[in-house]
């Protein structure tokens, strides 16, 4: 990383991974959902749980995705509309 990137990484992420910067407006440091939610599950089990929106796995992963998309939508002025206007992403924008 260049000096500016390293400074942002140190300031907002405490030099730890994972770290995401969206347009220098939103920074997400750390895991976006609780790792124990996936502990002991195989890839197949996670995929199956994602087919049930009421499962804890789906709620955690969908929630994390909605927060990421909300940050991108705010940074792009609400584009693409089909994503940014979805109920989950719209609700997540209030948490940014």
């Amino acid at each position: 990383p260049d000096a500016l990137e390293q400074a942002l990484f140190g300031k907002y992420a405490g030099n730890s991974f994972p770290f995401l910067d969206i347009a220098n407006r939103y920074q997400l440091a750390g895991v976006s959902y609780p790792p124990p939610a996936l502990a002991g599950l195989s890839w197949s089990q996670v995929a199956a749980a994602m087919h049930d929106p009421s499962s804890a796995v789906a709620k955690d992963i969908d929630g994390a995705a909605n927060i990421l998309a909300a940050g991108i939508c705010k940074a792009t002025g609400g584009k693409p509309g089909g994503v940014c206007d979805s109920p989950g992403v719209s609700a997540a924008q209030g948490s940014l």
Side-chain angles (χ1 to χ4, degrees):
D2 64 26
L4 177 59
E5 292 166 337
Q6 186 61 47
L8 287 171
F9 182 56
K11 179 177 180 179
Y12 294 110
N15 294 312
S16 66
F17 289 98
F19 172 69
L20 178 65
D21 177 82
I22 301 171
N24 288 331
R25 292 177 56 192
Y26 305 102
Q27 294 78 32
L28 302 169
V31 178
S32 299
Y33 53 88
L38 302 180
L41 298 178
S42 69
W43 286 105
S44 297
Q45 290 170 314
V46 171
M50 288 300 296
H51 287 284
D52 176 6
S54 67
S55 75
V57 169
K59 287 180 182 179
D60 288 340
I61 293 173
D62 286 343
N66 285 336
I67 289 171
L68 292 174
I72 294 167
C73 288
K74 282 199 164 197
T76 62
K79 295 178 183 167
V83 172
C84 298
D85 297 335
S86 70
V89 174
S90 294
Q93 288 185 29
S95 68
L96 296 178

